[in-house]
Amino acid sequence: MGEKTLDHSQGRPWVRLLNDARFRGWVSQAVVLALIIAGASYGISNVAQNLHKAGITTGFGFLSSPAGFDISQTLIPYTSKSSYADALLVGVLNTLLVSALSIVFSSILGLFLGIIRLSPNWLVSHLAGAYTEMIRNVPLLLQILFWYLAILAPLPGPRKSLDLGGIIYLCNRGLQIPSPEFLPGFGITFAVFLLATAISIALIVWNRRRQRNTGKHIPAYLISLCIIIVLPMISYYTTGSPVHWDIPKLKGFNFSGGITVLPELIALTLALSLYSATFIGEYIRSGIMAVNKGQTEAAYALGYRPGLAYRLIIIPQAMRVAIPPLISQYLTLIKNSSLAVVIGYPDLIHVFAGTALNQSGQSVEIISITMIIYLSLSLVISLFMNWYNKKFAMRGY
């Protein structure tokens, strides 16, 4: 009776394999992997044949060739005789510059917006809400064009520029600001500044531990700020003021001396900062609203003023909720900086994936390098913010 209930397929190995879910999973994955490899091989082979027919050599040797074009904004020494690798580095630095400025300004403005949107003052909270809805619902590209074409382009020329204190000038060619020239002896002041910063960090860490263990504390941030300002200033004047400021002066039809901040950089920074701040403000507001009201009431019951309660109790807890979406917003901001190409700001896309690609014809290599750089920037930002989030979570704020 027992022999009749046995599965007759047990005697055939291939039937047992087909009935094995793990084996079928391996076969499916192997088939998908083979299809991906075949598709990639076909694509690479097709691109190689097309490049060969067009007479374009492949490889990265072109990076050492002279670029042959100038760039309007360079943070490192660069001329038209510099290589494509130098042009790539200039483009990366310009992208990092506008991204860093926009992240700082948008974070400050976003924090302010998030707090005042919860203000008990009806007018203030509704003005913040109206600003948020108005800015974030207008395409970023239009905002960039608005600041560049409608605000900065109509500014007067250098001869009729706006004089801001006799040392800063604003005209349609950008913002002219003084540039520092470091003289011998400045190294001592810089070393004192680093030493003052290290002392301040040590003081803040010691104050936190003391407060955690004894409940007593001192105004460490105020003392640290004084240390960072006073000590370098004493060193600066005792070493004979080793910094000379080059003030921009109007000569002929343009300014000479100083530093010129391009109108493209100003327009792009303003648009990215104001646009991203609206989203950051909403993330901060949602984080504050996620904090239990009992925390706020307990702080006020203990005699904390609103500013101190926000700084020590509410904001640290709100940041745990706000940081994950903040990571996505910062990554979006960096990628949105590629819109700079519409107003001619020399970022990575404009310099390397635009001018360099058109001149060299190395489209596959240049696009691949550009994609890898943006991917690397995003991964670095993600790693840093995740580390920051994990640090706050572990400390149990």
Side-chain angles (χ1 to χ4, degrees), residues 131-198:
Y131 169 82
T132 300
E133 296 301 330
M134 183 178 66
I135 297 296
R136 73 174 178 178
N137 288 305
V138 175
L140 177 59
L141 180 59
L142 282 180
Q143 296 189 39
I144 294 174
L145 293 175
F146 168 78
W147 284 106
Y148 185 65
L149 298 177
I151 301 297
L152 296 176
L155 287 174
R159 287 179 176 271
K160 297 182 179 179
S161 61
L162 303 177
D163 187 346
L164 306 175
I167 56 175
I168 300 176
Y169 302 91
L170 180 63
C171 62
N172 58 6
R173 297 188 182 181
L175 184 67
Q176 315 293 328
I177 60 176
S179 64
E181 295 179 358
F182 302 110
L183 305 176
F186 178 75
I188 299 176
T189 302
F190 186 67
V192 171
F193 171 76
L194 293 179
L195 179 62
T197 304

Side-chain angles (χ1 to χ4, degrees), residues 115 300 304-316:
I115 293 175
Y300 292 156
Y304 281 74
R305 290 171 295 179
L308 204 60
Y310 263 92
R311 185 168 65 84
L312 297 180
I313 298 173
I314 300 174
I315 294 298

Side-chain angles (χ1 to χ4, degrees), residues 295-346:
Q295 298 282 324
T296 307
E297 294 170 356
Y300 292 156
L302 291 172
Y304 281 74
R305 290 171 295 179
L308 204 60
Y310 263 92
R311 185 168 65 84
L312 297 180
I313 298 173
I314 300 174
I315 294 298
Q317 295 185 74
M319 290 305 293
R320 288 197 301 173
V321 179
I323 282 179
L326 276 179
I327 298 174
S328 299
Q329 188 57 43
Y330 288 153
L331 299 181
T332 302
L333 187 152
I334 293 175
K335 288 179 282 190
N336 282 341
S337 68
S338 61
L339 292 174
V341 70
V342 299
I343 57 174
Y345 176 71

Side-chain angles (χ1 to χ4, degrees), residues 240-286:
S241 304
V243 177
H244 171 71
W245 291 95
D246 185 13
I247 308 297
K249 295 180 181 177
L250 183 62
K251 291 185 178 179
F253 295 100
N254 205 353
F255 285 93
S256 66
I259 298 175
T260 301
V261 182
L262 295 177
E264 292 83 4
L265 174 60
I266 299 173
L268 189 61
T269 303
L270 282 172
L272 286 174
S273 301
L274 297 177
Y275 181 77
S276 302
T278 59
F279 293 92
I280 293 175
E282 289 301 283
Y283 300 147
I284 298 294
R285 184 172 71 92
S286 63

Side-chain angles (χ1 to χ4, degrees), residues 62-71 74 76-90 351-352 356 359:
F62 75 96
L63 288 173
S64 59
S65 302
F69 59 88
D70 292 317
I71 302 176
T74 61
I76 59 172
Y78 176 87
T79 65
S80 59
K81 296 180 181 178
S82 300
S83 63
Y84 282 111
D86 295 328
L88 168 63
L89 183 57
V90 170
V351 171
F352 196 61
Q359 288 196 178

